[in-house]
Amino acid sequence: MDVRIKGDVLNWIKFFLKGIIETAEDSIRVFKAFIQLKEDSDKTIYKLGKKAPQAKLLLDHLFGAPLIEAEEYARVTKLSLVSTYRLIEDFEKHKILVELTGFKRNRLFSFQEYYKLFNANFKK
């Protein structure tokens, strides 16, 4: 209103620039946390020994699609369903994945830490 009434463009520009700075700082914080999550997750999957190459495939997939169904992942990677469920169990043990449905079949898994990065940023 002051811009229209008093011609106070300078304060409007300061207000606008402050918003840009705050948004950029939040983006940098989320990006750094994302990189840290990626590094930590990579370290965790290499603890899985022989399963590490398959686990890396699953982890890379999760960074692109953080909600998965085992059957879908098995189709995409051409791993057996048994191998896929074993990987998912390992990911659950290491708290990378969390099962959401509570069902025995048609279960849905979430990469919770990935979601937390973005949800924490938007709840401000």
Side-chain angles (χ1 to χ4, degrees), residues 106-118:
N106 301 319
R107 297 184 300 164
L108 185 63
F109 300 89
S110 172
F111 189 9
Q112 290 293 108
E113 293 302 316
Y114 181 88
Y115 280 111
K116 285 180 186 177
L117 289 178
F118 297 100

Side-chain angles (χ1 to χ4, degrees), residues 1 8 27-28 41 49 59 61 75 105 115:
M1 290 291 276
D8 190 6
S27 297
I28 290 167
S41 300
L59 183 63
H61 183 78
R75 281 193 301 273
R105 305 182 79 193
Y115 280 111

Side-chain angles (χ1 to χ4, degrees), residues 34-79:
F34 180 85
I35 296 298
Q36 188 63 53
L37 176 62
K38 180 78 167 106
E39 289 173 1
D40 293 346
S41 300
D42 282 341
K43 287 177 189 174
T44 299
I45 63 163
Y46 286 111
K47 294 176 185 176
L48 298 177
K50 295 185 292 186
K51 295 180 189 178
Q54 293 174 329
K56 178 73 171 137
L57 290 173
L58 176 54
L59 183 63
D60 289 346
H61 183 78
L62 289 171
F63 275 96
L67 282 176
I68 66 161
E69 293 176 312
E71 294 80 4
E72 175 189 349
Y73 183 71
R75 281 193 301 273
V76 170
T77 61
K78 297 180 175 56
L79 291 173

